[in-house]
Amino acid sequence: MTDTDRPWRRPPRDHFPGVPAWSMPASAMPEERFDVSPLGTVTPEWAWGGANGSGIRVCLLDSGVEADHPLVGGLDGAVDVIADEDGALEVVPTDPVDNAGHGTACASVIRSVAPATLLTSVRVLSSGKTGSGAALLAGLGWAVEQGFDVINMSLSTTRTDFCADLRDLADSAYFRRCVIVASAHNMPVHSYPWRFPSVISVASHDNPDPMAYYYNPAPPVEFYARGVRVPVAGLGGRRILTTGNSFATPHIAGICALILSKHRWLTPFQLKSVLYLAAENVAVPDGDGGTRVD
C-alpha cells in the first residue's frame, strides 16, 4: 500500500468519502467507495494477534535515540529541531544519538512490543531532558505533516501559552489518521497535550505483563499500561529498569502500531474503541471465543 492509496493522505476533497459535508443534500454528490474495517467481535487476538507492526511508521518526539542499541535495532530516520542564524526553528537530519537516554528507553519499549515498526526519532529535548515549547510545536508539526501513523509523546508542557497551538496540531493529527499517544504528567498538575480528547492518554500500572493495559472510566487519563520497573535500553548499550508514565506510553504506542498493522483502515476514533474493547478490565472471555463487556 502506498500513501496515495490512503484517503487521508490524498489532497483534500470537497466532501467526505461517501457523504457530503456541510449539510449539503446527499443527492448532490456521487457516492465514493471507500474501504472500511468492520469491527466484529473485538478480542486482543482479533485486535493484534499475529501482528508485528510491519508497515507502520512510528515517530518518537523525545531526546533522540541511540539507534545502534541492541534493544532499538536501528531507525528509519532521525531529525533534530534547531534554531537557524535568525533564531527560527527548523527540522534537520541528524545523527541517531541520544545524550539523555529518555528517547532511547522509550524506543526500546516500542520495539519490544512492535518489533517491525519503522521508527523515526525527532529530538526536541536537550541532554537535560528539557526543551522549549516552541521546539515541541515545531517537532510535532513536522511529524504531523510527514504523515506518521503513530506519534509517541512521553513528554508534556505545563505552559498554557502553548496549549492552543498544541490542541490545533493534535486535532490536525486526528483528522489525518495520525494517532498521538501521550503521557500523563507524573505529578498531579495540568499539562498538555495528554489532556486533549483527540490524543490517547496513558499513565502507569504495576502489572509486569507488557501487553496488559486497563481502561480508565474516570478520565482525563484514558489508559494505564506497564510503567513500573520497566526493562528498557540505557545509553551505551546498557539495559536498565526504570519507572514512570513515560515508559507506559510507548507500550500503548506499540500496541497501536500492532493494531494498525493488522487493521490498516481504522480511524483514530475506531482505534481508541478497539483499545477500549480489548483492555484487561473490559474484554471478558465469554466461553465462545468472543468477549462480553461487564
Side-chain angles (χ1 to χ4, degrees):
M1 178 184 293
T2 67
D3 278 353
T4 56
D5 296 323
R6 305 175 186 181
W8 60 97
R9 304 284 187 250
R10 299 182 306 197
R13 299 300 179 92
D14 294 331
H15 61 92
F16 295 113
V19 295
W22 319 126
S23 301
M24 293 177 63
S27 58
M29 292 289 182
E31 290 189 2
E32 179 184 356
R33 290 184 57 81
F34 62 98
D35 292 330
V36 297
S37 291
L39 300 184
T41 302
V42 175
T43 65
E45 175 60 28
W46 178 92
W48 61 75
N52 62 6
S54 63
I56 300 302
R57 299 169 64 229
V58 178
C59 178
L60 188 70
L61 264 71
D62 215 291
S63 60
V65 175
E66 188 176 275
D68 60 357
H69 195 293
L71 296 183
V72 174
L75 292 175
D76 193 45
V79 299
D80 197 358
V81 179
I82 63 172
D84 63 19
E85 294 179 350
D86 299 323
L89 294 175
E90 58 181 350
V91 179
V92 298
T94 189
D95 293 331
V97 296
D98 180 4
N99 294 324
H102 193 264
T104 302
C106 293
S108 70
V109 173
I110 294 173
R111 190 67 83 196
S112 71
V113 174
T117 54
L118 298 171
L119 270 175
T120 293
S121 166
V122 179
R123 183 161 55 196
V124 296
L125 299 180
S126 69
S127 58
K129 300 180 185 178
T130 60
S132 71
L136 177 60
L137 289 171
L140 179 59
W142 180 87
V144 172
E145 287 301 316
Q146 295 299 309
F148 287 99
D149 300 294
V150 180
I151 297 176
N152 188 95
M153 297 181 68
S154 291
L155 47 80
S156 64
T157 178
T158 58
R159 293 276 301 274
T160 56
D161 47 335
F162 293 107
C163 181
D165 288 339
L166 269 177
R167 189 191 299 275
D168 285 346
L169 282 175
D171 288 349
S172 295
Y174 183 89
F175 295 137
R176 293 175 59 90
R177 301 198 189 191
C178 176
V179 178
I180 296 177
V181 186
S183 292
H185 201 288
N186 286 320
M187 303 298 289
V189 298
H190 285 195
S191 62
Y192 313 95
W194 67 273
R195 294 177 59 86
F196 302 151
S198 55
V199 310
I200 295 172
S201 54
V202 187
S204 301
H205 67 58
D206 59 359
N207 185 335
D209 184 349
M211 299 302 291
Y213 69 91
Y214 302 90
Y215 168 70
N216 177 26
V221 174
E222 294 175 311
F223 296 99
Y224 293 98
R226 184 185 188 186
V228 177
R229 293 182 60 77
V230 181
V232 300
L235 293 182
R238 294 181 301 134
R239 299 170 186 240
I240 60 175
L241 295 177
T242 191
T243 295
N245 293 344
S246 286
F247 313 104
T249 302
H251 281 95
I252 295 296
I255 291 172
C256 287
L258 294 180
I259 296 171
L260 289 174
S261 71
K262 189 173 179 180
H263 307 282
R264 300 299 297 268
W265 292 90
L266 290 179
T267 66
F269 174 83
Q270 290 175 309
L271 176 61
K272 194 177 287 194
S273 300
V274 170
L275 282 175
Y276 162 72
L277 291 169
E280 286 277 322
N281 56 339
V282 176
V284 180
D286 63 4
D288 296 321
T291 61
R292 70 175 190 272
V293 178
D294 285 349

